[in-house]
């Protein structure tokens, strides 16, 4: 057993996003990744007013991915299918990388993710900033894998 092993926090800037196992461009921000377990209040009769809390259903937040707008239509086409009533669930992974960009520290796998909202960023002729698009996704479950033994997958274009 090792004692006093230092565990440094992960650096938040070194990440990538995979959809169905493929890297999909450079995202500059991932927001809203969270899990909450609802609680059910239970009052036992004759218990002197004691309220017990039972675990309820898990609730997952909407994850919002933001990136610079490009000529790529992959995300836009996915959104349009949803608008047209065809829900196309995909596996989305948020991968936090090591200082060595070839190694993963941890990944969150979001199962059955599909677009809920798309937004174009603000256009402003007085600023020289990138045009940002954001995509909000809902998902059915989340799993976390830890370890820097996995190699980051190569950027593959379909």
């Amino acid at each position: 057993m090792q004692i006093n092993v230092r565990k440094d926090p992960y650096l938040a800037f070194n990440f990538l996003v995979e959809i169905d196992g493929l890297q999909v461009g450079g995202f500059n921000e991932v927001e809203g990744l969270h899990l909450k377990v609802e609680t059910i209040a239970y009052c036992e009769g004759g218990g002197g007013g004691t309220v017990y809390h039972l675990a309820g259903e898990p609730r997952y937040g909407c994850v919002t991915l933001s990136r610079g707008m490009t000529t790529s239509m992959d995300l836009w086409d996915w959104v349009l299918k949803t608008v047209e009533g065809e829900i196309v669930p995909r596996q989305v992974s948020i991968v936090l990388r090591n200082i060595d960009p070839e190694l993963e520290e941890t990944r969150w796998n979001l199962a059955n993710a599909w677009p809920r909202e798309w937004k174009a960023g603000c256009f402003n002729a007085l600023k020289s900033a990138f045009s940002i698009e954001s995509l909000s996704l809902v998902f059915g479950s989340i799993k976390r894998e830890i370890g820097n033994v996995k190699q980051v997958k190569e950027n593959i274009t379909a």
Side-chain angles (χ1 to χ4, degrees):
M1 180 170 97
Q2 293 179 336
I3 299 175
N4 295 328
V5 176
R6 182 179 167 162
K7 300 267 186 190
D8 290 328
Y10 299 132
L11 299 172
F13 69 88
N14 200 8
F15 70 94
L16 59 88
V17 175
E18 294 175 354
I19 297 179
D20 287 341
L22 303 175
Q23 229 178 311
V24 287
F27 288 86
N28 61 319
E29 187 174 42
V30 175
E31 187 178 5
L33 188 62
H34 78 276
L35 163 66
K36 176 182 179 181
V37 178
E38 297 292 332
T39 58
I40 301 167
Y42 171 72
C43 297
E44 189 174 85
T50 303
V51 177
Y52 298 97
H53 294 278
L54 305 174
E57 294 291 320
R59 301 279 182 228
Y60 307 106
C62 290
V63 171
T64 301
L65 310 173
S66 299
R67 72 175 186 178
M69 197 174 286
T70 67
T71 58
S72 172
M73 296 291 284
D74 294 339
L75 295 180
W76 178 252
D77 291 342
W78 190 23
V79 170
L80 282 184
K81 283 185 179 185
T82 304
V83 169
E84 294 165 355
E86 182 184 350
I87 304 297
V88 181
R90 295 191 173 157
Q91 168 84 19
V92 175
S93 297
I94 313 301
V95 181
L96 208 49
R97 297 187 288 187
N98 189 298
I99 296 289
D100 176 354
E102 296 299 315
L103 298 176
E104 292 183 9
E105 286 292 350
T106 189
R107 73 168 40 225
W108 292 269
N109 295 317
L110 313 177
N112 298 317
W114 53 273
R116 175 182 169 257
E117 180 180 15
W118 176 88
K119 273 198 272 191
C122 178
F123 301 118
N124 186 336
L126 300 177
K127 293 182 180 179
S128 72
F130 289 109
S131 175
I132 302 294
E133 69 177 332
S134 64
L135 178 67
S136 292
L137 304 173
V138 294
F139 54 94
S141 68
I142 183 171
K143 293 196 183 274
R144 183 176 177 193
E145 297 176 7
I146 297 178
N148 56 10
V149 294
K150 290 187 175 184
Q151 293 289 325
V152 174
K153 295 180 178 124
E154 293 293 320
N155 186 7
I156 301 171
T157 55

